[in-house]
Amino acid sequence: MRQSSLVVVANRLPIDDSVAPDGACEWRRSPGGLVSALHPLLRQAPATWVGWAGGTGPAPALPDIDGVRMYSVPLTSDDLRDHYEGFANATLWPIYHDAVEQPQHHRRWWDAYQRVNRRFAEATAQVAETGAVVWVQDYHLQLVPELLRTLRPDLRIGFFLHVPFPPPELFMQLPRRAELLRGMLGADLVGFQRAQAAHNFAQLVTKVLGLPATDRRIAVDDRMVRIGAFPVSIDTTEMAALAGRTDVVERARRLRRDLGSPDQVILSVDRMDYTKGIEQRLKAYSELLAHGHVKVRDTVLVQVAVPSRERVGQYQILRDRVEREVGRINGEFGRVGEPAIHYLTQPFDRAELAALYRVADVMAVTPLRDGMNLVAKEYVAARVDDTGALLLSEFAGSAAELQQAYLVNPHDLEGLKQGLLSALRADPADARARMRAMREHLHQHDIRAWARSYLSTLDQSDSLLTRLGPDS
């Protein structure tokens, strides 16, 4: 068995669910998210990725992709129901996103969460070479760092939370709060998207576990765990190059023609999730249409809503509500051949997504709560001519960096409407200055800068850091 000095551990492997008869498989790139963040890093620093392949039953043997070894962890249908759909996404996810939906608690879900986390820890201990760096990702696997430290005390362990970390009054609702905190403290470095999240974590560690903590360090037994904010980013250069490709430019022209050559195109790209603010955005747009501030013939909204967690009841209900609202708006304001909203639920490949970014005069990213939201950063990177306007929720992690965006509170319907109008009616010179400033920030704070910042704090060896390339 080949071993690796860098091991990424995440709930999912970054591959297509289906593997071709010849054994070939490809990176699964969804809008934003973990895969988009780590893919360019791992291509430069060959590693092993430990994760679930997407099916139930025995773990399939998978080929390497771009030099990255895929190591599959098996899950049963009970694991999928109780760990992934249950504790991870019906208990932790809503708590971590301001309890936008009511979290659910079932004891069997916790049993499954422990069981699956142990399975991931054991698989990682098997593939990691002596002294390797292990980078555990996200809320599905919060117990893995402590379990892995027990199994392999020689490893250097990092944990990174891609979603928000809640304030103490929300986290304290969790029946297993102490175990979750101890699990994360098995890492040498616990990373968050924002400084406030690190502060929340330090407060909870002191309150629940009685450990001395600051916003940067926590004393655990005879060792020191470091914590901090490391805002995740994208491969800015890759997205800009993709958006500038001749075929993508031509595809963008065709898309605009297919949309009826409107004066302005508004685009939103989301997973179908109640945290993304899709319903609030549709209501705001509907009211702008109703009051004549926006006219269908002149302005088009393209809403991409990629299905997510379709077996979870809350998500099925949300999709039904969204589709009813889209139908109502199109029925009330659309015309023959001119829908008010172009509603798409299929995933797009990277080139098609870049073409959509080029088409969009306004990108509306208005989640109720989001750890970062890389779609906002991808849009900015794709605007290679410095045009376009980004409408961005104050409650997306990316708002702390992209301060030149048109920032809105998505809970405030009137403010959301006004923000959208401001973006649509922006003075071209002002919009260009805003976009140029955001693009410059992203070029300085791209995916490699994020990886170098995190791994250097983790005290990773120079040999790995040099493979990431020079600082951006």
Side-chain angles (χ1 to χ4, degrees), residues 233-241 377 380-386 401-402 435-450 470-472:
S233 194
I234 63 169
D235 190 335
T236 309
T237 302
E238 182 258 356
M239 176 52 72
K377 293 188 173 185
V380 170
R383 304 303 297 190
V384 293
D385 58 359
D386 291 333
E401 298 178 83
L402 304 178
M435 187 60 68
R436 186 180 299 115
M438 290 189 289
R439 285 175 53 76
E440 289 175 357
H441 174 86
L442 287 187
H443 278 291
Q444 294 170 11
H445 299 86
D446 68 354
I447 184 65
R448 290 175 183 82
W450 171 71
D471 286 322
S472 301

Side-chain angles (χ1 to χ4, degrees), residues 103-148:
Q104 301 175 40
H105 305 279
H106 297 286
R107 283 172 288 185
R108 75 172 188 277
W109 289 359
W110 171 249
D111 293 338
Y113 191 80
Q114 290 178 290
R115 180 174 68 246
V116 170
N117 273 249
R118 180 167 295 279
R119 196 175 304 151
F120 271 78
E122 290 170 347
T124 305
Q126 194 174 359
V127 301
E129 69 179 17
T130 301
V133 167
V134 175
W135 202 352
V136 184
Q137 308 289 329
D138 229 0
Y139 63 102
H140 315 84
L141 303 174
Q142 285 179 225
L143 304 181
V144 168
E146 183 186 35
L147 293 168
L148 190 57

Side-chain angles (χ1 to χ4, degrees), residues 11-174:
N11 177 65
R12 285 297 303 268
L13 289 171
I15 57 173
D16 289 327
D17 294 340
S18 58
V19 179
D22 63 358
C25 51
E26 297 180 346
W27 290 94
R28 177 174 51 83
R29 302 287 296 276
S30 60
L34 176 62
V35 178
S36 291
L38 291 180
H39 172 253
L41 162 65
L42 296 181
R43 291 187 67 175
Q44 294 201 27
T48 293
W49 189 307
V50 175
W52 172 52
T56 57
L62 297 169
D64 294 0
I65 303 177
D66 290 345
V68 180
R69 182 187 179 202
M70 300 291 142
Y71 189 89
S72 178
V73 177
L75 293 183
T76 67
S77 57
D78 287 349
D79 294 332
L80 180 60
R81 181 192 65 222
D82 295 338
H83 166 264
Y84 179 74
E85 296 171 354
F87 194 81
N89 286 307
T91 301
L92 291 181
W93 180 267
I95 285 283
Y96 285 13
H97 290 82
D98 293 351
V100 174
E101 288 284 334
Q102 184 66 31
Q104 301 175 40
H105 305 279
H106 297 286
R107 283 172 288 185
R108 75 172 188 277
W109 289 359
W110 171 249
D111 293 338
Y113 191 80
Q114 290 178 290
R115 180 174 68 246
V116 170
N117 273 249
R118 180 167 295 279
R119 196 175 304 151
F120 271 78
E122 290 170 347
T124 305
Q126 194 174 359
V127 301
E129 69 179 17
T130 301
V133 167
V134 175
W135 202 352
V136 184
Q137 308 289 329
D138 229 0
Y139 63 102
H140 315 84
L141 303 174
Q142 285 179 225
L143 304 181
V144 168
E146 183 186 35
L147 293 168
L148 190 57
R149 181 166 295 280
T150 301
L151 293 169
R152 292 286 305 276
D154 61 292
L155 298 175
R156 196 76 173 159
I157 303 170
F159 179 83
F160 189 82
L161 189 69
H162 291 260
V163 299
F165 190 80
E169 57 269 25
L170 282 178
F171 191 87
M172 291 295 287
Q173 296 179 24
L174 289 167

Side-chain angles (χ1 to χ4, degrees), residues 355-367:
L356 281 169
Y357 290 152
R358 287 199 63 121
V359 168
D361 301 288
V362 174
M363 184 81 199
V365 181
T366 57

Side-chain angles (χ1 to χ4, degrees), residues 251-267 296-303 337-344 355-356 359-361:
R251 177 58 180 152
R253 290 197 189 100
R254 291 200 307 272
L255 281 170
R256 198 170 196 100
R257 287 198 300 269
D258 292 344
L259 291 170
S261 299
D263 293 337
Q264 291 185 301
V265 175
I266 306 166
L267 172 67
V296 169
R297 182 164 294 173
D298 302 324
T299 304
V300 166
L301 171 61
V302 179
Q303 174 65 66
E338 292 181 342
I341 300 172
H342 292 257
Y343 175 69
L344 306 166
L356 281 169
V359 168
D361 301 288

Side-chain angles (χ1 to χ4, degrees), residues 238-441:
E238 182 258 356
M239 176 52 72
L242 183 60
R245 268 178 21 191
T246 303
D247 60 316
V248 171
V249 173
E250 179 55 34
R251 177 58 180 152
R253 290 197 189 100
R254 291 200 307 272
L255 281 170
R256 198 170 196 100
R257 287 198 300 269
D258 292 344
L259 291 170
S261 299
D263 293 337
Q264 291 185 301
V265 175
I266 306 166
L267 172 67
S268 289
V269 178
D270 307 281
R271 284 188 306 101
M272 182 65 77
D273 193 288
Y274 52 79
T275 66
K276 299 300 183 182
I278 299 172
E279 292 178 284
Q280 289 82 353
R281 190 186 310 138
L282 291 176
K283 184 170 180 57
Y285 189 64
S286 173
E287 291 193 6
L288 290 176
L289 288 168
H291 292 98
H293 297 301
V294 173
K295 299 185 183 303
V296 169
R297 182 164 294 173
D298 302 324
T299 304
V300 166
L301 171 61
V302 179
Q303 174 65 66
V304 178
V306 180
S308 172
R309 302 163 189 158
E310 294 182 90
R311 302 200 326 174
V312 179
Q314 293 165 318
Y315 291 79
Q316 296 168 354
I317 293 169
L318 172 65
R319 180 168 180 170
D320 289 344
R321 289 202 308 254
V322 166
E323 292 181 351
R324 280 198 302 270
E325 182 65 4
V326 169
R328 182 194 69 78
I329 294 170
N330 279 335
E332 188 170 346
F333 300 106
R335 307 179 186 188
V336 175
E338 292 181 342
I341 300 172
H342 292 257
Y343 175 69
L344 306 166
T345 60
Q346 70 267 32
F348 290 90
D349 63 28
R350 299 289 290 169
E352 188 79 357
L353 197 57
L356 281 169
Y357 290 152
R358 287 199 63 121
V359 168
D361 301 288
V362 174
M363 184 81 199
V365 181
T366 57
L368 305 179
R369 169 64 74 185
D370 221 338
M372 178 52 60
N373 197 296
L374 297 180
V375 167
K377 293 188 173 185
E378 289 184 341
Y379 174 73
V380 170
R383 304 303 297 190
V384 293
D385 58 359
D386 291 333
T387 62
L390 174 62
L391 182 74
L392 183 59
S393 166
E394 298 170 356
F395 304 112
S398 52
E401 298 178 83
L402 304 178
Q403 297 182 7
Q404 293 81 14
Y406 294 87
L407 297 176
V408 294
N409 174 1
H411 301 275
D412 174 9
L413 189 62
E414 291 302 320
L416 182 55
K417 288 160 57 179
Q418 187 55 52
L420 186 53
L421 284 178
S422 295
L424 286 168
R425 299 171 178 175
D427 174 74
D430 178 59
R432 190 179 296 273
R434 288 171 180 253
M435 187 60 68
R436 186 180 299 115
M438 290 189 289
R439 285 175 53 76
E440 289 175 357
H441 174 86

